[in-house]
Amino acid sequence: MDRWLCAFLGGFALSFFFHHPADVVQLTLLAILASFCIVLNYCTRLPSFFLGGVLCGILWGAGNAYLLTSRQVAADWFAQDVTLTLQVSEVTATSPASWRVAAHVISSSTDLSKPAPQQLRLYWYEPHADGPQRMPRQGEHWRMVTRLKAPQGTRNQGSMRYHRHLLGQNIQALGTIRRGELLGGTPTVRQRLVSELQRALTDVPLAGVLLALLVGERFALSNDDWQVVQRTGLAHLLAISGMHLSLVTGFAFALAWQLLARTQRKRGRREQLNLWSLTPWLALPLALLYAWLAGFAIATLRALLMLLVIWWHKAYACRVSSWRVLLRAVVVVILLQPMAPLSLGFWLSVGAVLSILWMSWRWPTYRGRWAKLRALWRFEWLITLLFVPVMAASFGGVASAAALTNLLVVPLVSFWVLPMGLVGLGFAALAQTAWAQWWFALAIWPLAQLWPALSNLAAQPWQWLPAVNLPPWPWLAVGVTLLVLPLRWRCRLLACTALSFAFLVTQAMPPSATYQLHVLDVEQGSAMVLERQGHALLIDTGASWEGHGSMAERVIMPFLDARRLRPEIGFITHTDRDHEGGYATVAAAYPQLRWYGGHKGAPCLAGQQGNWRGVSWQVLHPRQASERGNHSNNSSCVLLLKLGQVKVLVTGDIEKRSERQLLAELAPLQADILLVPHHGSKSSSESYFVRHVQPAAALLSRGRNSAYGHPHEQVVSTYKNLKIALVDTARGGQITLHSDGVTWWLEQPFSAALGYWFDAETSQ
C-alpha cells in the first residue's frame, strides 16, 4: 500500500510540471487509463498497479488544477467600482492607516453577466477618512463599494511569488474598499472570543505576541516585535502549527491519562480498559478546539491532519515505521489540500519532520544525565543548519544565533507561556477579565524579562546575516548536505574544503562583460536596473504609500540583493510618486549613491552626459530646470543609453508636446529599444514620434487592470501597425534585455509562457 502511495505522490508531483492545465478530454483519458491499470493488475499478473498509482496522482493534481483555473474571474469585474454584499471571513492585518480583510461574496448589485468572484482579499485604506468607522468583524455582513483586480502580485527575481500564495489560499480577486456599510450579522463565536481576549490583554506587556501565540492572530504585532522574532529565528512560534498542536494534545493526553488512571485503582482494571486506546479519544477534542481557535488556518489545518494520522495509528495499534506514518500523513494533506505544495509552509513543516526522523536514524540516542537537553540542543543546531539555504533564499537572511535562542525560548514558551496563557484564555472566554489579565501577566512575565535581551540580540549586525553577504543558496545547500552526510569526518572535511575552493575560484573570476537592463514589475509605476560588472545604475524607484511601504522595499531591494548588485548612480525621470516613491528607502540603504533628477538629486538637464562602466548615457530632455524639479509629465528626464552599439531610449512620462519638442530639436532619438512613454497613456506615443525612434521593441511598465486605462487601445494599435513588438510587465513580469554590445535579446523569466500552469496569466 505504501509503495502505491509513493507512486501516487510521484504522479501528483508530476502534475505541477505541466505548462498548461489539462482539459476535460485529457482528464477523462487519464481516469480511464488509471482504472484500466488497476483492473489489469487484479485480473492478470502484470505489475500495472504502480503505474495506476502514478496516473491517479497525475489525475488528482491535474483535476484540481482544472477546477481552480476554470473558476477564474472575468476581466469585466476589474477596473471599475462594484458594489458587493460580503460576509467577513477574517481580519488579517490592521494598522492606523489601513485594514486588510478576507471576505466571501454573498451577492452583487452590479449587473454583469459573468459570475462574481467568491473569495476576496480587500484593503481598506484610510477607513476613517469620511468619519469614524468600526473595523469589520468575522461573521458580519457588509455592503462595500470595491475596486477589484486580478489576484496577481509582482513577478521579479528575489520577490515573493504572491500569485502562488493566493492560488493556494483560493483567493479569486484582490481589491480596495472605497466605502463600507454594516448591514448586520452576528460576529462568530471565535470573533467574540478574540475581542474578549483583546480586551483582557489591554494592559499586558507584549500583548500582540501573546495574542499570536494563543490564537494565531498576528495583526496586533508591532513592526518592532515582528523584527525581533524574525531576526532571532523565533518567527515560527507565532504561527499555530505542529509544535503548538503537539503541546496542547500532549497536555490533554497526560491529563486524560491521569484522570482515567485515578478512576480505576486496580492495575488489572486499568490494563483491561487499555488506557492507550482510550486516552487519544479524550485528547482529540482539545486538539480540534485549539485548531478552531486558530481559525483553521491552512498551516494549522495541515498540522492537525498530520496529527490525526499519527493518532489513528496509535489508537488502532498500527505498528509501522515513522517514515511510513509521515508518508501517509503527507498523502492525507495532499488529498484535502491539493494546493499545499505551493506554500513554503508545507515544505518547512515536512522538512522539519524529516529532519527529526533523519536525526533519529543518523545519530544514536543520548543516555545518562542531561540526555534530553543534549538531544534538544542537537536538534536545534541541526534544524538551523539544514534550513540555512531555505532561509537565505526565502527570507533574505539567516539568524546566526537561532539555535541558541530556540533552545532557550521554545521550552519557556512550551511549558510556561502557552499553558498559563491557555488558562487565561479560558477565563477570558468566561468573561472573567480580571482573572484573565492576572494569568496573562503571569504567563508573559518571563518572556517580557527576556525581551530586552532578544531585542538587543536582534539589533546586532553579526546576528542577522543578510543573504547578500552569504554564498548563493545553491552553494549553501551543497555545503550543508556535505556536512550532514553520514561520512567519516575526514571525508566531510575534504569535501567541504574542495567546495570552498571551488566557490573562491568562481568569485575570483572577472564579472561578465555583458549588459543587462531589467525593467522591474512594480505595478503602476516605473523602476529599471542596468546591471554591469556586478554594479547597477538605477532609473526610477517605483511607487510608495504612506504607512504601507514602497515598491523599493518589496521589489527593488530584494532584486538587488538577489542579483548581488551595488548601485552607483540613480536617475529619477519624474517626481510623481509612482516614479520617485522609493527614493528614501534606496537612498538610506545606499547613502553613497549619486542621484540625478527628482526633488533631492542634481538637476537632470539636456546636454548632461557621462560614461558608467562602459555605458554611455546622455540626457535629451528637459532643457530647463523647473523650480521644483521635473514635477510635470512634460518635464520628465529623457535618457539615451548606449550599451555598446545597442541604444535604449528611456522616456519617463513625457506627453505628445514633449515628443514634438524633441523632434523639433533634432535630438538623437533613434534607438533599438524604446521604453513606452507614460505607461502607454493615450496622451503619449504619437505615431510620428515612434516612427522616428524606429525601435525594434517597446517595453511597457504598467499595473494590471490599471485604473487609468493603460495601455490605451490607440497606443497599442500604433505599435502594432508599425510592427513593433510590445513587451508588457503586466503580462509577464520582469523584462530583461541582454546584450553583448552588438546583438541583443529580450527575456521575461517569470512569464507564464516559460513557467507552469500555476503561473498562468489571470484576467487583465
Side-chain angles (χ1 to χ4, degrees):
M1 180 63 181
D2 289 327
R3 292 181 181 178
W4 188 89
L5 292 180
C6 287
F8 174 85
L9 282 180
F12 181 77
L14 284 176
S15 70
F16 281 82
F17 289 90
F18 293 169
H19 290 283
H20 303 284
D23 55 28
V24 176
V25 175
Q26 293 169 329
L27 293 174
T28 304
L29 182 61
L30 279 172
I32 293 173
L33 288 175
S35 303
F36 178 75
C37 288
I38 295 173
V39 171
L40 189 65
N41 179 81
Y42 282 105
C43 296
T44 68
R45 294 186 177 182
L46 293 175
S48 59
F49 193 63
F50 300 120
L51 178 58
V54 173
L55 292 174
C56 286
I58 295 175
L59 179 63
W60 183 249
N64 280 282
Y66 170 77
L67 292 176
L68 274 177
T69 54
S70 64
R71 293 197 294 263
Q72 188 179 108
V73 180
D76 298 355
W77 287 93
F78 303 142
Q80 63 172 313
D81 287 348
V82 293
T83 304
L84 302 172
T85 301
L86 306 170
Q87 182 179 24
V88 178
S89 306
E90 186 181 6
V91 179
T92 56
T94 63
S95 71
S98 69
W99 301 329
R100 187 179 71 190
V101 301
H104 175 76
V105 177
I106 299 175
S107 63
S108 170
S109 60
T110 304
D111 186 18
L112 289 175
S113 58
K114 305 294 178 64
Q118 295 302 306
Q119 301 293 336
L120 306 178
R121 174 169 290 178
L122 302 171
Y123 296 80
W124 197 340
Y125 299 110
E126 304 296 340
H128 305 293
D130 298 327
Q133 182 64 266
R134 184 172 68 75
M135 183 187 301
R137 296 178 180 175
Q138 185 181 24
E140 292 180 338
H141 292 184
W142 285 70
R143 179 182 293 114
M144 293 179 173
V145 179
T146 63
R147 173 69 63 97
L148 303 180
K149 65 178 182 178
Q152 185 78 62
T154 58
R155 285 169 288 177
N156 304 278
Q157 185 176 356
S159 299
M160 173 187 177
R161 305 289 185 269
Y162 191 49
H163 62 284
R164 298 181 185 179
H165 172 74
L166 295 173
L167 187 65
Q169 298 277 342
N170 197 27
I171 301 296
Q172 295 175 297
L174 303 175
T176 56
I177 299 171
R178 302 297 183 92
R179 297 184 302 277
E181 175 188 359
L182 176 63
L183 298 180
T186 305
T188 61
V189 176
R190 181 178 179 273
Q191 176 65 64
R192 293 199 294 270
L193 180 59
V194 171
S195 299
E196 197 67 40
L197 183 58
Q198 287 182 272
R199 191 177 300 111
L201 288 170
T202 301
D203 298 322
V204 177
L206 298 178
V209 174
L210 198 54
L211 188 66
L213 282 171
L214 294 176
V215 294
E217 294 287 356
R218 289 183 284 182
F219 63 81
L221 273 175
S222 67
N223 289 333
D224 291 339
D225 288 344
W226 178 249
Q227 285 289 325
V228 170
V229 296
Q230 183 187 41
R231 291 180 176 268
T232 53
L234 299 173
H236 63 95
L237 291 177
L238 302 186
I240 295 179
S241 54
M243 189 194 79
H244 297 73
L245 279 173
S246 300
L247 287 171
V248 171
T249 306
F251 291 142
F253 188 92
L255 181 61
W257 178 276
Q258 292 297 325
L259 291 175
L260 287 175
R262 291 180 183 277
T263 57
Q264 303 297 329
R265 297 286 182 180
K266 295 182 179 180
R267 179 177 179 180
R269 180 62 177 165
R270 291 201 299 270
E271 292 177 350
Q272 184 179 359
L273 280 175
N274 191 0
L275 298 185
W276 282 107
S277 62
L278 288 177
T279 307
W281 288 98
L282 299 177
L284 180 62
L286 192 58
L288 291 170
L289 175 63
Y290 194 57
W292 169 79
L293 279 175
F296 287 112
I298 287 182
T300 308
L301 188 58
R302 183 168 55 241
L304 177 63
L305 291 174
M306 300 181 79
L307 190 65
L308 288 175
V309 172
I310 297 172
W311 164 82
W312 185 86
H313 283 81
K314 293 292 185 183
Y316 291 95
C318 297
R319 296 184 177 273
V320 295
S321 68
S322 300
W323 298 94
R324 292 191 174 191
V325 174
L326 176 61
L327 170 67
R328 297 173 185 182
V330 169
V331 170
V332 170
V333 172
I334 292 301
L335 289 175
L336 297 179
Q337 293 183 330
M339 294 301 110
L342 294 179
S343 167
L344 178 63
F346 170 80
W347 298 104
L348 292 178
S349 301
V350 175
V353 177
L354 281 173
S355 301
I356 296 172
L357 296 179
W358 182 81
M359 184 183 69
S360 301
W361 165 76
R362 173 68 178 84
W363 283 288
T365 305
Y366 285 121
R367 299 186 182 280
R369 183 176 295 182
W370 309 109
K372 292 185 177 180
L373 182 61
R374 293 167 66 191
L376 179 60
W377 169 242
R378 183 171 66 184
F379 169 72
E380 291 297 347
W381 73 254
L382 177 66
I383 200 76
T384 301
L385 181 64
L386 288 175
F387 279 95
V388 160
V390 179
M391 299 302 166
S394 303
F395 302 111
V398 176
S400 60
L404 181 62
T405 55
N406 276 275
L407 181 67
L408 180 64
V409 177
V410 168
L412 179 65
V413 170
S414 303
F415 301 107
W416 181 281
V417 179
L418 188 59
M420 292 192 177
L422 289 174
V423 175
L425 180 62
F427 280 109
L430 298 173
Q432 300 295 320
T433 305
W435 280 100
Q437 286 181 330
W438 188 86
W439 278 98
F440 288 148
L442 182 64
I444 205 64
W445 180 80
L447 191 58
Q449 302 306 307
L450 191 61
W451 201 258
L454 292 175
S455 301
N456 184 54
L457 179 64
Q460 299 302 315
W462 56 266
Q463 153 60 19
W464 180 255
L465 304 178
V468 69
N469 296 333
L470 297 171
W473 72 264
W475 289 90
L476 290 174
V478 174
V480 169
T481 303
L482 292 175
L483 285 175
V484 299
L485 278 176
L487 301 172
R488 298 180 64 180
W489 70 268
R490 291 184 181 86
C491 296
R492 281 184 283 166
L493 179 60
L494 181 62
C496 289
T497 302
L499 181 69
S500 301
F501 178 75
F503 174 71
L504 292 175
V505 169
T506 58
Q507 293 299 107
M509 294 175 63
S512 172
T514 60
Y515 307 86
Q516 290 179 303
L517 175 64
H518 309 279
V519 180
L520 302 183
D521 178 12
V522 290
E523 295 183 349
Q524 185 62 35
S526 174
M528 286 163 275
V529 178
L530 178 57
E531 178 180 348
R532 175 77 166 161
Q533 299 173 342
H535 296 269
L537 180 150
L538 304 184
I539 303 175
D540 290 335
T541 57
S544 67
W545 307 270
E546 187 174 353
H548 308 291
S550 67
M551 279 296 172
E553 298 170 346
R554 301 180 190 178
V555 173
I556 299 175
M557 301 300 293
F559 177 84
L560 294 173
D561 290 343
R563 300 289 298 183
R564 297 172 180 266
L565 301 175
R566 186 170 185 84
E568 295 178 323
I569 300 179
F571 289 88
I572 300 295
T573 64
H574 184 37
T575 55
D576 276 0
R577 184 172 290 183
D578 60 338
H579 290 251
E580 195 185 29
Y583 166 81
T585 300
V586 178
Y590 302 101
Q592 304 304 318
L593 189 58
R594 183 157 45 101
W595 291 93
Y596 293 91
H599 288 106
K600 304 291 184 179
C604 188
L605 297 174
Q608 292 174 328
Q609 56 185 330
N611 189 287
W612 173 79
R613 295 187 176 272
V615 176
S616 297
W617 59 268
Q618 179 181 0
V619 179
L620 306 181
H621 183 79
R623 289 193 171 275
Q624 293 182 346
S626 61
E627 295 181 359
R628 299 186 313 178
N630 43 331
H631 64 282
S632 69
N633 289 341
N634 284 311
S635 295
S636 294
C637 183
V638 177
L639 284 167
L640 180 65
L641 305 175
K642 295 181 181 178
L643 318 180
Q645 300 177 24
V646 179
K647 298 180 181 179
V648 179
L649 185 63
V650 181
T651 56
D653 277 357
I654 62 170
E655 298 175 345
K656 293 178 181 178
R657 180 165 65 87
S658 292
E659 293 176 352
R660 294 167 185 168
Q661 184 178 347
L662 283 166
L663 293 174
E665 294 166 352
L666 301 179
L669 297 175
Q670 287 78 15
D672 301 281
I673 305 294
L674 170 66
L675 273 298
V676 176
H678 202 183
H679 317 289
S681 168
K682 68 177 180 180
S683 63
S684 307
S685 295
E686 193 169 35
S687 177
Y688 187 71
F689 172 79
V690 178
R691 199 179 307 120
H692 187 81
V693 177
Q694 296 179 341
L699 311 185
L700 174 61
S701 176
R702 68 172 178 104
R704 298 173 64 85
N705 313 122
S706 170
Y708 304 99
H710 299 158
H712 195 270
E713 294 179 0
Q714 179 180 334
V715 173
V716 175
S717 297
T718 297
Y719 289 99
K720 183 177 180 181
N721 294 336
L722 295 174
K723 294 182 171 49
I724 298 171
L726 187 62
V727 188
D728 186 356
T729 59
R731 294 294 298 177
Q734 169 190 328
I735 305 169
T736 297
L737 166 69
H738 301 270
S739 175
D740 58 4
V742 179
T743 61
W744 59 270
W745 64 98
L746 293 173
E747 176 192 17
Q748 283 191 287
F750 304 103
S751 170
L754 302 175
Y756 305 107
W757 66 264
F758 44 82
D759 289 327
E761 301 286 351
T762 54
S763 302
Q764 296 300 304

